Amino acid sequence: MAFDVEEAARLELDWWQARREAVAPRDYGLNIARIAALTYGKSADDAGIRQFGIARAEAMAFRDARGEGIAAADWVRIEGQLGEAYQALKASVAR
């Protein structure tokens, strides 16, 4: 599927920068959702795609907050969060 590569790259850079500037994951997660929507030709207003972006951002923020003290149980939690995020994305893309 064709998509606007320049727009995708700009949105990607935006959320990377926002993450480094301590913007809330729920906020930069919306840019992650916009990239997914753009990539798959879906609406950024789709609830499942928004859920994906925010959940992915929250998993990253959780990992960042653990720093050097991250434990095996934390990775299990992150894997669960990401699994749910990608299930939501899959369901939205399949529609």
Side-chain angles (χ1 to χ4, degrees):
M1 171 175 283
F3 63 91
D4 186 338
V5 173
E6 289 180 14
E7 177 70 2
R10 185 189 63 74
L11 288 169
E12 183 86 11
L13 184 59
D14 284 351
W15 80 254
W16 279 21
Q17 184 175 4
R19 185 170 170 229
R20 297 294 179 238
E21 294 174 353
V23 172
R26 293 191 74 74
D27 294 332
Y28 70 79
L30 294 176
N31 272 357
I32 294 172
R34 287 182 191 106
I35 295 164
L38 182 66
T39 302
Y40 292 103
K42 299 294 184 175
S43 171
D45 293 329
D46 181 276
I49 291 177
R50 276 195 322 271
Q51 178 185 349
F52 160 74
I54 292 168
R56 187 166 170 233
E58 288 175 342
M60 285 185 271
F62 177 81
R63 186 336 185 181
D64 290 347
R66 292 298 184 253
E68 295 295 318
I70 194 159
D74 296 326
W75 286 114
V76 171
R77 177 179 168 173
I78 292 166
E79 183 178 14
Q81 286 176 293
L82 292 173
E84 290 175 16
Y86 279 95
Q87 286 292 359
L89 177 62
K90 182 179 179 181
S92 290
V93 168
R95 283 188 244 130

